[in-house]
Amino acid sequence: TGGMYDHEMGGFFRYSTTADWTVPHFEKLCEDNSRLLRLYLQAYQVFGKDLYRETAEKTVGYMNDTLWDETEGYFCGSQDADEQYYDLPKEERLKRPALFVDRTAYANYNAAAAMAYYEAAVILKKPAYRRQADRVLNFLWSNLHEDGMGMFHYWDPDDGRRHVPGLLADQVWTAWALL
């Protein structure tokens, strides 16, 4: 219910610029939203509070509307920060051009998103989220994996190539998501 959550468009901001966590830095990352989505899904499962379910649903909505690349089947890395944009009510935001989205596909962030969507499919009873998670893992395996090298860190949509092999986080998150 605080300042780190975007109450208008859904999703979570990266971090706070104040000690009391009321004023966010307005950037939104796939990584943070994926992890917080899992947290809210699990909290809803344990405590049954509608607020947790609604927060999870709005976070999925944000991720699908802003970070999801339907054509390729992956989640983009982040959405830029713009304090003036986020000061506007939702109706005014929708009239303006959308903030820049980094279209880079990061292996570890997408694996985390796939895990969250698998959980969302079960907890929220939405089978489409499972299919979406399947697409993410298929994208990662097809575009960021190389036999003998493992996972690469990111896929650049501008050059259509994978970059930076062998980072432990990419190997672990992908293996965890596949399990």
Side-chain angles (χ1 to χ4, degrees), residues 2-60:
M4 297 304 297
Y5 182 71
D6 183 351
H7 298 277
E8 298 285 335
M9 306 292 277
F12 289 89
F13 300 111
R14 177 73 172 141
Y15 60 87
S16 178
T17 59
T18 59
D20 65 357
W21 291 84
T22 56
V23 179
H25 173 72
F26 291 97
E27 182 180 31
K28 293 181 183 177
L29 273 66
C30 176
E31 172 187 25
D32 299 327
N33 280 280
S34 297
R35 291 181 183 187
L36 287 164
L37 173 57
R38 288 188 73 209
L39 178 72
Y40 277 88
L41 288 166
Q42 292 167 5
Y44 172 64
Q45 216 175 9
V46 171
F47 300 109
K49 289 190 176 189
D50 287 339
L51 176 64
Y52 299 151
R53 187 193 81 257
E54 291 163 8
T55 302
E57 288 172 340
K58 277 189 81 174
T59 301
V60 167

Side-chain angles (χ1 to χ4, degrees), residues 62-73:
Y62 164 74
M63 292 177 72
N64 283 346
D65 292 344
T66 306
L67 300 179
W68 178 244
D69 185 309
E70 176 63 35
T71 303
E72 298 291 340

Side-chain angles (χ1 to χ4, degrees), residues 93-153:
R93 282 194 220 178
L94 293 174
K95 292 177 187 174
R96 292 193 169 202
L99 296 177
F100 174 78
V101 173
D102 173 11
R103 309 226 49 91
T104 305
Y106 295 94
N108 55 338
Y109 301 168
N110 272 275
M115 291 173 58
Y117 271 60
Y118 282 130
E119 289 186 38
V122 173
I123 296 168
L124 301 176
K125 297 175 179 51
K126 303 274 186 167
Y129 298 157
R130 179 179 177 269
R131 291 188 294 275
Q132 203 170 347
D134 289 344
R135 284 192 67 198
V136 169
L137 291 182
N138 285 330
F139 174 87
L140 293 180
W141 200 255
S142 298
N143 294 283
L144 290 166
H145 177 264
E146 183 176 320
D147 288 345
M149 298 280 291
M151 297 302 294
F152 282 66
H153 183 51

